Amino acid sequence: MTAPAEVRLIDGGYFRESCSLLYQAYRHTPTFAYLFESDRPGYEQRVRATVRELLVRHFADALPALGLLLGERLIGVALISPPQRRLEITESWSWRMRMLLTAGFRCTRRYLDYHEAVIACLPPGAYHMLPLLGVRPEFQGWHYGEQLLEALQHWCAEDVNSRGIVLDTGDPHCLEFLRRQGYREVGQVELGPVHEYILVHPGPQPPAEKGA
């Protein structure tokens, strides 16, 4: 049986665990392989640096993050960008400078272009975004991903103005998983050979007005 896990808001106290978990979750994805040039030496260092800088900025800006925990062990994490704050990280000059120093100019430019292209695909309205989301590889296939997504949907639905959740993936396996969880495609971005899909999970719809 799958042991029960707890979902709760986490902060910078889980920074190191979150770095390790998200690095493991993203280093083999087609998206990061393209953005950070997996065919060139230093790829793993560039992925580590990017995950670290995104987490540093996320926690420094006091943006929400949900953690999935077995006891005190973090086995899943999701960074959340609320609708009114989803552009803050990439617009930070200090973040851009650290990225240039760690990931290099070309990869930083690729990441910024990718981020802007995803934002351009968003449907109108207030949506939460998930810039990074992952479950430790050894805990995948045990329904923990479904538990984390369900908790995210409930958490974001507490914002009465939210239209739902947006995320993206270039991994065909992940794409099929998300479709099974009720996510629907709203756009595509071409990242070299990678087809990046932008998906939305709609939030609760407000009740129709009488007489409408």
Side-chain angles (χ1 to χ4, degrees):
M1 283 182 63
T2 301
E6 177 191 1
V7 180
R8 65 173 183 252
L9 284 169
I10 61 172
D11 58 19
Y14 284 93
F15 175 79
R16 290 177 64 88
E17 287 180 84
S18 298
C19 280
S20 173
L21 189 159
L22 290 169
Y23 165 74
Q24 295 293 336
Y26 278 88
R27 65 175 175 154
H28 294 306
T29 63
T31 305
F32 269 47
Y34 170 76
L35 292 176
F36 301 106
E37 301 180 325
S38 62
D39 58 340
R40 193 162 58 84
Y43 169 68
E44 293 193 348
Q45 290 86 342
R46 291 190 290 277
V47 172
R48 286 186 190 277
T50 299
V51 169
R52 183 180 63 247
E53 295 303 337
L54 287 170
L55 279 164
V56 165
R57 194 73 235 172
H58 195 89
F59 287 131
D61 288 344
L63 294 173
L66 285 186
L68 186 67
L69 295 107
L70 280 176
E72 286 302 311
R73 186 182 185 190
L74 188 70
I75 66 167
V77 65
L79 306 188
I80 306 170
S81 292
Q84 66 275 20
R85 301 182 66 182
R86 63 191 179 204
L87 294 176
E88 286 185 4
I89 289 178
T90 55
E91 289 184 346
S92 164
W93 280 107
S94 62
W95 178 85
R96 291 190 182 203
M97 286 301 298
R98 287 195 299 272
M99 281 290 290
L100 286 169
L101 292 171
T102 55
F105 176 82
R106 190 163 54 204
C107 292
T108 299
R109 184 70 265 166
R110 280 190 179 189
Y111 186 87
L112 290 171
D113 289 345
Y114 145 77
H115 182 76
E116 291 170 5
V118 170
I119 293 294
C121 289
L122 296 187
Y127 287 88
H128 288 80
M129 290 192 69
L130 306 180
L132 293 176
L133 166 73
V135 172
R136 287 191 182 278
E138 63 267 35
F139 291 98
Q140 293 174 8
W142 294 91
H143 304 292
Y144 289 118
E146 289 95 328
Q147 183 182 352
L148 183 56
L149 284 175
E150 183 177 0
L152 279 163
Q153 287 148 205
H154 286 301
W155 190 89
C156 293
E158 292 181 6
D159 181 347
V160 296
N161 296 312
S162 178
R163 300 287 302 278
I165 299 172
V166 172
L167 52 72
D168 61 279
T169 183
D171 184 334
H173 176 74
C174 185
L175 175 63
E176 291 307 312
F177 168 75
L178 292 168
R179 284 172 171 165
R180 292 196 299 271
Q181 308 311 310
Y183 284 78
R184 58 182 177 81
E185 182 186 337
V186 294
Q188 288 188 41
V189 173
E190 302 303 317
L191 302 175
V194 179
H195 300 289
E196 191 76 5
Y197 294 87
I198 294 85
L199 303 122
V200 165
H201 191 287
Q205 299 302 306
E209 295 183 7
K210 292 183 178 180

